[in-house]
Amino acid sequence: MKRLILALILFFAAVALSPVLIGEKGYILVAMGDYTIESTVVTALIAIIILFISLLITLKLLRGGLSLSFSAWHKIRFSGQRRALRNFQKGIAAYVLGDNKQAEHLLVKSADSIPFTETAYLMAANAANLQGLPDNTKHYLQQINGDQLDVKETGLESVLITIKLLLNHQEFSSARTLIDKYHKFIGHDDRLLALELDLSLIEQRFFYVVEQLNKAQKSKHFTQQQINSWQQAAFSGAFHQKITKESQQALNNYWNNLPRKVKQEETVLLAYCQVLAANRINKPLTDILLPTVKKGANDKFIYAIRQLPLTQVDALIQAVQKHLHHDAKNAKWLTALAHLSAMDQQWEMAEKAFNARLHLEQPVDTLDLTTFAHVLEQLNRPEQAISALKKAISISDVDNTLKISG
């Protein structure tokens, strides 16, 4: 506005001074080929000023019009992206509220038009997974290239979710590729270590898992139950591979070379006993079990012995009987005697031990009752055997109900 006022002042000043200047006429001659233009200096100055003012007014008008047109164009151009962002936000809200079907629909609809493409597809994949739609889940995971998962932008969580979903749907090769790509983060994030251990067990890389268990045991992130689960699977697999792919001597050497602290781990010890019993390697098995039973092993260890396919148990039965001489109503030792006698086909001894055990107040489990039914069947008592099986089925149904409700 100030420029326009200044231009007008200059114009009127030129008009006012023009009569004075006309007395001293100066001429301007412009020649262009066959054409000539002749004008006075005053006329030329006035024309230039008028042209300048017209240009200023035109630019002023055009600038407002251009601003308006650019704003309208911007609204049209980015309307789809704004709509996609709204769908993305609605999809997140539906996901939080547990409406997985609506969440999947909105997140997929918005995925390709927003900056958070991989996040949208990941959440859609998990929503589909929660609905039990494996084909949809796999399709959404395929939309996410490993190169898209930028840890700096989305954090390691996006990688972890992707790997978990791949494992759930048995896409083990893709999961391995992704873990190997981000392997350097295993030392910094225990969640990735857990996925590495789970996948390695699936791949039967048991010896590698045994080596990595030391890291897991030092972490405060894992529960003892989770550590025990990895230990049992890793050492059972390692022991089995040693004896099947190499030899009994290789298994024995591997066991002897393990650190003493590791061999004293109950989970590891039971895994070794399981392999020995399955392959009927009786002497080393007795050498391990007998001292432990004589010392008075804990309930968990004694109950675990019930599941071993033992064949030579005379020494173990004698050790258990010595404990019962001091405490004839001990549930742990009665259970051990009943199962060991059944393994040795001493049916009457097993029946007496089971009856004594059932008269105690401590509850029995399904394995006790099914073994007792087998003993009664061998003693030609079918009605009692059926009754024991019915109790076992009843306990099993209660346990399943508790698991479902839990």
Side-chain angles (χ1 to χ4, degrees):
M1 190 64 184
K2 292 179 180 180
R3 293 178 181 178
L4 182 60
I5 294 173
L6 180 61
L8 290 173
I9 291 172
L10 291 174
F11 173 73
F12 288 117
V15 172
L17 293 173
S18 61
V20 178
L21 297 173
I22 289 174
E24 295 291 335
K25 292 183 179 180
Y27 292 93
I28 297 174
L29 183 64
V30 180
M32 293 182 294
D34 296 335
Y35 297 97
T36 58
I37 300 174
E38 185 178 345
S39 174
T40 63
V41 173
V42 174
T43 304
L45 288 173
I46 292 173
I48 291 171
I49 292 171
I50 292 172
L51 182 63
F52 178 71
I53 293 172
S54 300
L55 182 61
L56 289 176
I57 294 172
T58 303
L59 288 175
K60 186 71 176 177
L61 293 174
L62 284 176
R63 187 169 64 180
L66 286 172
S67 297
L68 180 64
S69 62
F70 277 127
S71 177
W73 176 83
H74 186 273
K75 288 182 179 180
I76 295 171
R77 170 66 179 79
F78 294 102
S79 61
Q81 190 178 55
R82 287 195 298 273
R83 185 166 54 252
L85 283 171
R86 286 196 298 271
N87 286 334
F88 180 67
Q89 291 171 337
K90 290 179 181 178
I92 292 175
Y95 184 86
V96 172
L97 292 173
D99 188 354
N100 295 311
K101 183 177 180 180
Q102 181 70 358
E104 178 191 355
H105 171 71
L106 290 170
L107 290 167
V108 172
K109 189 176 180 181
S110 66
D112 293 327
S113 303
I114 58 174
F116 318 111
T117 300
E118 64 274 9
T119 302
Y121 274 124
L122 277 175
M123 295 183 69
N126 199 43
N129 181 59
L130 293 172
Q131 295 176 76
L133 302 173
D135 292 338
N136 288 15
T137 304
K138 291 179 182 179
H139 174 70
Y140 301 144
L141 290 175
Q142 288 172 359
Q143 307 307 309
I144 305 170
N145 191 312
D147 297 332
Q148 288 180 300
L149 297 171
D150 189 348
V151 174
K152 293 182 180 179
E153 293 293 331
T154 61
L156 191 62
E157 285 72 17
S158 59
V159 177
L160 297 173
I161 294 171
T162 305
I163 295 171
K164 283 184 178 180
L165 290 173
L166 289 170
L167 291 179
N168 288 343
H169 294 277
Q170 300 183 358
E171 296 288 334
F172 302 132
S173 177
S174 299
R176 169 53 60 197
T177 300
L178 205 53
I179 287 179
D180 288 346
K181 180 178 179 181
Y182 296 96
H183 199 269
K184 65 180 181 180
F185 291 98
I186 288 179
H188 305 284
D189 196 299
D190 292 331
R191 296 170 297 177
L192 190 56
L193 174 60
L195 294 173
E196 166 73 317
L197 294 177
D198 289 338
L199 180 56
S200 296
L201 288 174
I202 293 170
E203 296 170 333
Q204 298 187 0
R205 299 168 62 199
F206 301 116
F207 297 100
Y208 171 74
V209 176
V210 168
E211 293 174 0
Q212 297 299 312
L213 279 174
N214 190 41
K215 293 181 182 178
Q217 288 173 322
K218 291 179 180 179
S219 171
K220 297 180 180 179
H221 181 79
F222 305 122
T223 63
Q224 189 58 46
Q225 183 178 2
Q226 194 170 10
I227 296 293
N228 290 343
S229 176
W230 283 326
Q231 271 188 336
Q232 194 278 329
F235 279 100
S236 292
F239 295 145
H240 180 72
Q241 282 187 355
K242 276 292 179 184
I243 196 169
T244 55
K245 294 185 178 181
E246 297 181 43
S247 64
Q248 179 180 333
Q249 186 59 45
L251 172 63
N252 184 57
N253 293 339
Y254 182 70
W255 170 258
N256 290 332
N257 289 331
L258 288 175
R260 184 178 178 182
K261 183 179 180 181
V262 174
K263 290 193 287 187
Q264 290 176 342
E265 292 277 354
E266 189 173 284
T267 307
V268 178
L269 183 61
L270 286 172
Y272 185 55
C273 290
Q274 181 72 40
V275 173
L276 292 177
N279 290 275
R280 298 194 175 188
I281 306 174
N282 294 309
K283 188 178 184 308
L285 179 59
T286 302
D287 291 342
I288 291 174
L289 292 178
L290 188 57
T292 307
V293 172
K294 285 182 175 180
K295 291 178 182 177
N298 59 44
D299 292 8
K300 182 180 177 182
F301 187 83
I302 292 299
Y303 290 152
I305 292 177
R306 301 176 305 167
Q307 302 178 44
L308 297 176
L310 302 175
T311 54
Q312 293 185 7
V313 294
D314 290 341
L316 293 174
I317 289 176
Q318 293 175 12
V320 170
Q321 286 175 328
K322 286 182 179 179
H323 287 293
L324 286 171
H325 285 318
H326 299 287
D327 186 1
K329 295 184 178 181
N330 186 290
K332 174 178 68 175
W333 297 119
L334 282 173
T335 301
L337 179 61
H339 283 275
L340 290 172
S341 300
M343 292 175 188
D344 202 36
Q345 298 184 6
Q346 298 187 45
W347 307 120
E348 292 184 358
M349 182 187 294
E351 189 250 348
K352 290 179 181 179
F354 272 121
N355 279 326
R357 173 68 181 85
L358 290 171
H359 281 88
L360 299 178
E361 293 182 358
Q362 292 94 326
V364 294
D365 60 16
T366 304
L367 180 59
D368 289 332
L369 291 170
T370 53
T371 305
F372 185 34
H374 176 66
V375 170
L376 293 169
E377 182 185 5
Q378 297 301 316
L379 292 171
N380 197 23
R381 299 178 187 175
E383 293 182 359
Q384 294 179 3
I386 292 171
S387 177
L389 284 175
K390 286 181 178 179
K391 289 181 181 179
I393 293 171
S394 176
I395 292 175
S396 179
D397 290 341
V398 171
D399 290 342
N400 290 333
T401 302
L402 291 174
K403 288 179 182 179
I404 294 171
S405 62

